[in-house]
């Protein structure tokens, strides 16, 4: 009997749907704070926030994924991610409607992204997961931000041992 690999995902809500990111990419979750706007950036780029002396770019995930904008609520928060760019790993914040929970999904509970035709770009999807009878859209953080031009060069951080 072979063991199925199990991965953990942080689930979050956007426009009534459930999305998830590999927990390995998640650094922390923050309450929504004021974001300093930057000029001449794409609509989905909200600006930057200061985290422990570092300017971290913040992206509105609704806008990035082509969803309608929503107002700020008590549940709105920022997920801080480490994303792989050509230049290395950079830290990015994403604004989401709400953070739900960390879940475990086995490989057998994940389907590959559906083929949606050439007019729909599904490259940002890592797959579709199931929890009970609910679909969970698994996002590939590196693919979502692969085409981004990061507004700031970030100082490399050293991780505490």
């Amino acid at each position: 009997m072979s063991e199925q690999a199990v991965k953990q995902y942080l689930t979050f809500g956007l426009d009534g749907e459930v999305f998830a990111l590999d927990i390995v990419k998640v650094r922390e979750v923050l309450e929504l704070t004021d974001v300093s706007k930057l000029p001449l950036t794409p609509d989905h780029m909200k600006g930057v926030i200061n985290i422990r002396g570092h300017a971290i770019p913040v992206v509105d995930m609704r806008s990035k994924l082509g969803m309608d904008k929503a107002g700020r609520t008590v549940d709105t928060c920022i997920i801080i991610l480490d994303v792989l760019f050509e230049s290395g790993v950079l830290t990015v914040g994403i604004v989401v409607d709400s953070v739900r929970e960390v879940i475990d999904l086995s490989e057998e509970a994940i389907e590959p992204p559906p083929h949606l035709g050439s007019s729909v770009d599904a490259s940002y999807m890592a797959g579709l997961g199931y929890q009970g009878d609910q679909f969970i859209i698994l996002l590939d953080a590196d693919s979502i931000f692969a085409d981004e031009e990061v507004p700031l060069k970030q100082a490399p951080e050293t991780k505490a041992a």
Side-chain angles (χ1 to χ4, degrees), residues 37-50:
K37 299 199 181 315
L38 296 174
L40 303 174
T41 56
D43 288 342
H44 61 270
M45 183 65 64
K46 291 190 71 70
V48 293
I49 58 174
N50 181 348

Side-chain angles (χ1 to χ4, degrees), residues 12-14 19 21 44 46 58-68 79 81 92-97 124 139 141 144-145:
F12 58 93
L14 283 175
F19 291 83
L21 289 162
H44 61 270
K46 291 190 71 70
V58 177
V59 172
D60 181 330
M61 282 304 286
R62 278 176 164 261
S63 181
K64 179 71 176 167
L65 297 176
M67 297 175 176
D68 292 333
I79 301 172
L81 304 172
V92 176
I94 63 170
V95 176
V96 299
D97 295 351
Y124 64 89
L139 299 177
I144 290 171
F145 297 104

Side-chain angles (χ1 to χ4, degrees), residues 10-21 61-62 65 67-68 79 95-101 124-125 128-129 131 133-139:
L10 177 66
T11 60
F12 58 93
L14 283 175
D15 198 22
E17 298 297 329
V18 180
F19 291 83
L21 289 162
M61 282 304 286
R62 278 176 164 261
L65 297 176
M67 297 175 176
D68 292 333
I79 301 172
V95 176
V96 299
D97 295 351
S98 63
V99 168
R100 294 173 170 235
E101 63 183 326
Y124 64 89
M125 291 177 56
L128 285 176
Q131 189 177 40
D133 59 353
Q134 182 175 37
F135 278 116
I136 300 170
I137 302 166
L138 306 177
L139 299 177

Side-chain angles (χ1 to χ4, degrees), residues 65-95:
L65 297 176
M67 297 175 176
D68 292 333
K69 291 189 179 192
R72 179 180 186 159
T73 71
V74 63
D75 294 325
T76 306
C77 57
I78 300 174
I79 301 172
I80 306 299
L81 304 172
D82 286 329
V83 179
L84 184 62
F85 285 85
E86 280 185 23
S87 59
V89 176
L90 295 176
T91 304
V92 176
I94 63 170
V95 176

